[in-house]
Amino acid sequence: TGEQWLSSRNWPEGSVGRLMEQAPAAFSGEARVATVLEELRPVASRSLVTYVFVVDDSHHLTGVVTFREMVFADPDQRLEEIMVPHPFSLQPETDVVVAMREVVRRHYPVYPVCDADGRLIGVVRGSVLFEEQAFEISAQAGSMVGVEKEERLSTSWGRSLRFRHPWLQLNLLATFITAAVVSAFQGTINQVVLLAVFLPVLSDQCNNTGCQALAVTLRGMTFGDLKPGQGWRLIAKEAWLGMLNGSMTGVLGGLAMYALAAHQGNPDALTLAFITWLAMAASCGIAGIVGAGVPQVLRQIGADPATASSIFLTKATDIVSLAMFLGLAAWLVVR
Amino acid sequence: TGEQWLSSRNWPEGSVGRLMEQAPAAFSGEARVATVLEELRPVASRSLVTYVFVVDDSHHLTGVVTFREMVFADPDQRLEEIMVPHPFSLQPETDVVVAMREVVRRHYPVYPVCDADGRLIGVVRGSVLFEEQAFEISAQAGSMVGVEKEERLSTSWGRSLRFRHPWLQLNLLATFITAAVVSAFQGTINQVVLLAVFLPVLSDQCNNTGCQALAVTLRGMTFGDLKPGQGWRLIAKEAWLGMLNGSMTGVLGGLAMYALAAHQGNPDALTLAFITWLAMAASCGIAGIVGAGVPQVLRQIGADPATASSIFLTKATDIVSLAMFLGLAAWLVVR
């Protein structure tokens, strides 16, 4: 199997094949315990043998034997008598995160890796899988705002700049859409400057509400909690939650608007307060929909569900919330 | 040890002690291999024995023996002859994330847990540690925006609301400070309404730049990459990176401001463009400082470095960037 193992570098990045090591011990099912132990004695002293794998003539994996079994077996017994038959195995092309979901309840120290025909081509240590997964998961918060997986604290500033800058330029271009929305209401703001004061409040509040939904959705996808067909139910839950959160925070937002407007002698203080409350309730509901929806859409189109998700989310919530707030003001307040 | 093991529930949340199981096999160093195997035969059939632990009369852990060693040993040998002496062990009060950093290069299936005197009180499976860590790390993106670790996709909307709502109210109160800053410049905005158009652009761009620094810092802290004394160096790197990113995206921002202002016949178009560029460069630099600094400050005061970090970050960058932008405009443009 040495030759096949060396070809492990040909497997796609992030796949099980990339983490594969050579399987140290494989025997025929007819081999006797005493013989196997004798053959393993020199091997076990220089490499860590955890399981003995049992294969047929064409190297198909037929069973697994632990040292514990061999200790308590009769030296004359054949491996096929004491092996666990049809053992669980991984495929080399499987994504590490998907493999993690398959092994998380198994907790074996080592997993055999078999090709599509069931031939043993290597092993993967469980701890290597877990370590890789921890690395992948820890990259998520950064991926959401355009940080590459590879970036670590030791990355040089030049490389960090090259990694992060393109996303920031993209983010800026996207904020221009938000700016265009506000720009369309310059006349409205000119008449009620107080509206400008509430733009950052509304935008920030919707973003945070949406980011909560986004983070919960991404985490659920990581652990395989989001079953097929449940996507719409999650979106509905987050819409409802966002709407509730928005209408409850909107009360404070509306009160603040009323206090400021009344203080400035604005005759429409009550209408402005109502508009603030309505815009917060509705846009936080939409923020929930976008937060739960963006990672699902990204996955559907074959992209990583976390990558730039926060960038897409904040732009969508900004555009919706500010258009709603300023649109309502243009309609109800400015005459 | 059964009694001691049962008391594992008394260890603090997130500690190794909470993940502890009873050590299934502990023998004296003078026990012979044949005797140990005979005693283990019934135990091994009903529980998964991975290692045999060697303890002295007071139950101090003195060594570890693997089944592999026993298979190849003489049945008359004593455990103390074949054991690995002074084995690595964990302490029950250690934080899981800290323990992970200690075991990440060891990859044992099971770790002994000893009290302060070195007495064996239980074991922790390596996979359980890794699983717990994956759970902790996956909560980070949510913690940053006020989602509790316990929340999963299956959490009821009522519980989700109770978890998330307090942070959203806190976030809203914090945005009022931002609103107060903008409010202080209502006169300026009244004269140059175009400034209002760029408020969401500036705020969003600084937030994203700062969130990149925040995510990288948190990830580094998770893997123990941030060594004591390197905190200031990281802050300096992120300030420099933020400033570079800000001055490069600021060019596009300034051009957009110039185009809009010139189109609207504003005689100060060039000054407004310069102000936009300067505010973006400087505030993105500050966003880098805040992003790298917030988790360090949170850890210093004994809080979780991720919790609400994004909330603190966005408020700080909003206040600084908008005050700088509107302040410069009030000083240089409005007469």
Side-chain angles (χ1 to χ4, degrees):
Chain A
T1 57
E3 195 185 310
Q4 285 163 299
W5 169 66
L6 284 174
S7 71
S8 77
R9 314 221 157 251
N10 296 330
W11 298 108
E13 205 180 319
S15 74
V16 167
R18 283 287 184 103
L19 305 177
M20 211 162 51
E21 298 168 39
Q22 191 167 9
F27 291 88
S28 152
E30 286 164 25
R32 293 184 193 278
V33 170
T35 323
V36 170
L37 288 179
E38 217 39 62
E39 281 194 42
L40 277 179
R41 194 182 288 274
V43 181
S45 63
R46 57 184 158 75
S47 78
L48 195 76
V49 184
T50 312
Y51 294 128
V52 169
F53 294 107
V54 182
V55 293
D56 67 13
D57 294 341
S58 327
H59 221 78
H60 292 101
L61 180 69
T62 57
V64 167
V65 182
T66 65
F67 274 94
R68 206 169 42 240
E69 296 296 333
M70 288 193 284
V71 163
F72 297 123
D74 189 300
D76 270 342
Q77 277 189 291
R78 291 198 170 83
L79 290 189
E80 57 196 7
E81 297 173 56
I82 58 170
M83 74 184 185
V84 177
H86 315 298
F88 170 80
S89 66
L90 291 169
Q91 282 67 54
E93 59 277 351
T94 306
D95 191 83
V96 169
V97 178
V98 176
M100 277 302 312
R101 259 176 250 145
E102 293 183 39
V103 307
V104 79
R105 295 277 153 223
R106 293 178 197 270
H107 293 173
Y108 303 156
V110 167
Y111 296 93
V113 182
C114 294
D115 65 15
D117 292 332
R119 271 188 292 263
L120 179 69
I121 56 172
V123 296
V124 170
R125 291 186 188 284
S127 50
V128 172
L129 267 185
F130 276 100
E131 203 183 334
E132 182 69 17
Q133 196 210 26
F135 185 77
E136 295 278 326
I137 298 179
S138 73
Q140 213 165 58
S143 293
M144 290 164 69
V145 288
V147 176
E148 296 292 320
K149 261 181 207 164
E150 298 94 86
E151 184 170 344
R152 301 296 289 265
L153 284 194
S154 53
T155 305
S156 71
W157 66 262
R159 252 171 78 87
S160 295
L161 188 68
R162 275 196 303 280
F163 277 156
R164 300 189 208 168
H165 194 69
W167 285 114
L168 291 173
Q169 289 286 4
L170 179 81
N171 190 62
L172 182 62
L173 284 174
T175 60
F176 285 169
I177 310 175
T178 318
V181 169
V182 181
S183 185
F185 293 99
Q186 277 185 83
T188 313
I189 296 171
N190 208 16
Q191 291 181 55
V192 189
V193 180
L194 196 52
L195 292 171
V197 174
F198 275 77
L199 295 184
V201 174
L202 194 68
S203 150
D204 194 303
Q205 196 62 22
C206 291
N207 287 347
N208 203 336
T209 306
C211 272
Q212 289 185 340
L214 177 64
V216 169
T217 303
L218 278 172
R219 197 178 185 213
M221 286 168 109
T222 302
F223 288 117
D225 293 346
L226 186 63
K227 302 280 178 295
Q230 291 190 339
W232 286 108
R233 244 184 79 193
L234 178 64
I235 289 176
K237 176 189 167 187
E238 289 299 340
W240 169 238
L241 261 177
M243 214 267 292
L244 282 176
N245 275 321
S247 48
M248 281 154 71
T249 52
V251 170
L252 187 57
L255 283 175
M257 174 60 105
Y258 181 82
L260 266 180
H263 176 75
Q264 294 182 3
N266 191 312
D268 296 306
L270 209 59
T271 316
L272 282 168
F274 171 71
I275 289 170
T276 305
W277 174 81
L278 186 61
M280 278 180 75
S283 351
C284 286
I286 291 165
I289 294 174
V290 178
V294 161
Q296 296 189 54
V297 170
L298 284 171
R299 185 159 75 171
Q300 203 99 59
I301 62 171
D304 175 72
T307 299
S309 55
S310 169
I311 294 179
F312 299 131
L313 169 81
T314 53
K315 258 39 79 188
T317 57
D318 272 1
I319 292 165
V320 168
S321 63
L322 300 186
M324 192 175 298
F325 180 58
L326 294 172
L328 282 171
W331 177 40
L332 294 175
V333 179
V334 181
R335 269 144 301 210
Chain B
T1 57
E3 194 185 314
Q4 282 161 302
W5 169 67
L6 284 174
S7 71
S8 78
R9 316 223 155 248
N10 296 332
W11 298 107
E13 204 180 323
S15 73
V16 167
R18 281 288 183 104
L19 306 177
M20 212 161 50
E21 300 168 37
Q22 190 167 10
F27 290 89
S28 152
E30 287 164 25
R32 295 185 192 277
V33 169
T35 322
V36 170
L37 288 180
E38 218 39 63
E39 280 195 41
L40 277 181
R41 194 183 288 273
V43 180
S45 64
R46 58 183 157 75
S47 77
L48 195 76
V49 184
T50 311
Y51 295 128
V52 168
F53 295 106
V54 181
V55 294
D56 68 12
D57 295 342
S58 328
H59 223 76
H60 293 100
L61 180 69
T62 57
V64 166
V65 183
T66 65
F67 274 94
R68 208 169 40 241
E69 296 296 332
M70 286 193 285
V71 163
F72 297 123
D74 189 300
D76 270 345
Q77 277 190 290
R78 289 198 171 82
L79 289 189
E80 59 195 5
E81 297 173 57
I82 58 169
M83 74 184 186
V84 177
H86 314 299
F88 171 81
S89 66
L90 291 169
Q91 282 66 54
E93 60 276 353
T94 307
D95 191 84
V96 169
V97 178
V98 176
M100 276 303 312
R101 262 177 247 143
E102 293 183 40
V103 307
V104 80
R105 297 276 152 226
R106 294 178 198 270
H107 293 174
Y108 304 156
V110 166
Y111 296 93
V113 182
C114 294
D115 66 15
D117 292 331
R119 271 188 292 263
L120 179 68
I121 56 172
V123 295
V124 171
R125 296 190 183 279
S127 49
V128 172
L129 267 185
F130 276 99
E131 203 185 337
E132 182 71 15
Q133 196 209 26
F135 184 77
E136 294 278 326
I137 298 179
S138 73
Q140 214 165 58
S143 293
M144 289 163 68
V145 289
V147 176
E148 296 293 320
K149 262 182 207 165
E150 298 94 85
E151 184 171 342
R152 300 297 288 265
L153 285 193
S154 53
T155 305
S156 71
W157 67 262
R159 251 171 79 88
S160 295
L161 187 68
R162 275 196 302 279
F163 278 155
R164 300 190 208 168
H165 194 70
W167 286 112
L168 291 173
Q169 290 285 5
L170 179 81
N171 190 61
L172 182 63
L173 284 174
T175 60
F176 286 167
I177 310 175
T178 318
V181 170
V182 180
S183 185
F185 292 100
Q186 278 186 86
T188 312
I189 296 171
N190 209 15
Q191 289 182 55
V192 189
V193 179
L194 196 51
L195 293 169
V197 175
F198 275 76
L199 295 184
V201 175
L202 194 70
S203 150
D204 194 301
Q205 196 63 21
C206 291
N207 287 347
N208 203 335
T209 306
C211 272
Q212 289 185 338
L214 177 65
V216 169
T217 303
L218 277 172
R219 198 180 184 209
M221 287 168 112
T222 302
F223 288 117
D225 293 346
L226 186 64
K227 303 280 177 296
Q230 291 189 340
W232 286 107
R233 244 184 79 193
L234 178 64
I235 289 176
K237 176 190 167 188
E238 290 298 340
W240 169 237
L241 261 178
M243 214 266 293
L244 282 176
N245 275 322
S247 47
M248 281 154 71
T249 51
V251 170
L252 186 57
L255 283 174
M257 174 61 104
Y258 181 81
L260 266 180
H263 175 74
Q264 294 182 3
N266 192 311
D268 295 307
L270 209 59
T271 316
L272 283 169
F274 171 72
I275 288 170
T276 306
W277 175 80
L278 186 63
M280 276 179 77
S283 353
C284 286
I286 290 164
I289 294 173
V290 179
V294 161
Q296 296 189 53
V297 170
L298 284 171
R299 186 159 73 171
Q300 204 98 57
I301 63 173
D304 175 72
T307 300
S309 55
S310 170
I311 294 178
F312 299 131
L313 169 81
T314 53
K315 257 38 82 192
T317 59
D318 272 0
I319 292 163
V320 168
S321 63
L322 300 185
M324 193 175 298
F325 180 58
L326 294 172
L328 282 170
W331 179 39
L332 295 174
V333 178
V334 181
R335 268 146 303 212

